[in-house]
Amino acid sequence: MNTIAVLGSANMDLVVRQARLPLPGETIFGAGFSTVPGGKGLNQAVAAARLGADVTFLGAVGADAYGAELRTLLTTEGIRSTELATADAPTGTAHISVVDSGENSIVVVSGANASVTTLSVEQRAVVADAAFLVMQCELPTRALAEGIAVARAAGVFTVLTPAPVVPLPAGFLASVDLVIPNQIEAAELTGESDPIRAAETLSAGQTWAIVTLGAEGSVVAYDGEALGLAPARPVTAVDTTAAGDTFVGALMAHLAVNFVRGTALTPDDMIEAVRFATVASSVSVTRTGATSSMPTRAEVDAILAQSLRHG
């Protein structure tokens, strides 16, 4: 099976459920509190592994209780983490407010993640041996650029979720094989409010782009041309935390199982992977939490099989 190397953040999510966001200077009561393993990198790694992929995680955690808990989770999920560094800084945290509508707001404190400014010899070897390198923007850009350089030299397919949107070096996005922003991120990166135009702009130069639109589905584009709008699966959302990360992890799991390294992805390959990822993401928003909400491959396959039976 093709290996996915995830170079990304690992956080402990501190989640408060509440009726609404407080006004500036206002104190309100919350309805509940929980700690859930998270971070965009760890989320995507867990989603991919739970959906059947062979995953190695690269990043850093602190020498603290949260770091130990995240390492245990990775082991439990079958994700290799032998090259996960231990930093002097505390493990990263994300402070998440989830309101009754299911929407959320998040403040991230990078902690150990900010220490990942370069890759070790061993981490570079992991990247070079993988079929896919999956990244986000919660690690320093310098480390991401190094990962891309190693991957490109080895013929590894590179994937970036440009979240949060941060200043990127010239040519950075063009050096990535697949970019997966949400609609807001795509608009910020391109200046295009129309997600189709944004996807076309991001995909220029033989790059794949998938712009996710939440309940509206996603736009798929390649080499400056939109291939179409992939519809969402209608569900009642209770918590959208990590829905995008579930989408990315599921997409990569599908490609890892079906993609032959060294061959070009076709539009049909990508659209089929997007369909699989859409179902996985739709399941995640019906549950609370980040990693705790992610489905298994059996769950997604059952939903896809049922949809085929019903046309």
Side-chain angles (χ1 to χ4, degrees):
M1 181 186 296
N2 290 311
T3 299
I4 299 170
V6 178
L7 174 59
S9 57
N11 295 329
M12 184 60 72
D13 291 351
L14 312 178
V15 185
V16 175
R17 297 197 65 89
Q18 55 204 75
R20 59 175 176 81
L21 295 178
L23 299 173
E26 181 186 20
T27 298
I28 64 173
F29 285 105
F33 172 77
S34 60
T35 58
V36 183
K40 297 193 72 64
L42 186 140
N43 287 345
Q44 292 179 7
V46 170
R50 203 170 287 176
L51 290 160
D54 180 17
V55 181
T56 299
F57 186 74
L58 305 173
V61 295
D64 50 29
Y66 286 159
E69 188 172 343
L70 296 183
R71 287 182 182 277
T72 298
L73 171 73
L74 291 167
T75 299
T76 301
E77 295 289 344
I79 298 169
R80 285 185 298 278
S81 58
T82 54
E83 302 309 326
L84 176 62
T86 300
D88 291 335
T91 298
T93 53
H95 305 256
I96 304 174
S97 297
V98 181
V99 299
D100 286 349
S101 67
E103 293 299 317
N104 64 73
S105 60
I106 304 174
V107 176
V108 174
V109 180
S110 294
N113 297 305
S115 72
V116 186
T117 57
T118 188
L119 305 185
S120 67
V121 172
E122 294 79 10
Q123 289 172 331
R124 290 169 67 93
V126 169
V127 171
D129 288 343
F132 301 93
L133 173 63
V134 177
M135 301 163 292
Q136 316 76 34
C137 289
E138 289 184 340
L139 294 185
T141 305
R142 176 182 168 186
L144 304 183
E146 185 177 348
I148 291 172
V150 173
R152 288 180 68 85
V156 177
F157 190 94
T158 54
V159 182
L160 176 71
T161 302
V165 174
V166 297
L168 297 171
F172 186 94
L173 287 176
S175 69
V176 177
D177 294 304
L178 169 60
V179 183
I180 313 178
N182 64 26
Q183 185 172 358
I184 295 172
E185 293 153 359
E188 190 170 349
L189 288 166
T190 64
E192 298 283 358
S193 58
D194 179 356
I196 295 176
R197 291 288 301 276
E200 291 174 337
T201 299
L202 289 168
S203 70
Q206 297 186 323
T207 295
W208 288 96
I210 301 171
V211 178
T212 58
L213 311 175
E216 302 302 316
S218 58
V219 178
V220 183
Y222 178 71
D223 198 20
E225 181 180 353
L227 304 181
L229 175 66
R233 175 175 173 258
V235 294
T236 300
V238 298
D239 184 356
T240 59
T241 303
D245 294 332
T246 301
F247 180 95
V248 174
L251 184 94
M252 299 316 303
H254 191 277
L255 291 178
V257 171
N258 296 283
F259 177 78
V260 178
R261 181 171 176 169
T263 62
L265 282 173
T266 69
D268 286 345
D269 293 332
M270 189 61 76
I271 289 170
E272 183 63 27
V274 168
R275 182 167 177 259
F276 181 87
T278 299
V279 171
S281 183
S282 74
V283 174
S284 75
V285 301
T286 65
R287 304 167 177 172
T288 59
T291 54
S292 57
S293 71
M294 295 170 178
T296 64
R297 189 172 194 94
E299 289 177 289
V300 176
D301 285 344
I303 293 169
L304 287 169
Q306 184 178 32
S307 67
L308 288 174
R309 287 196 298 270
H310 292 285

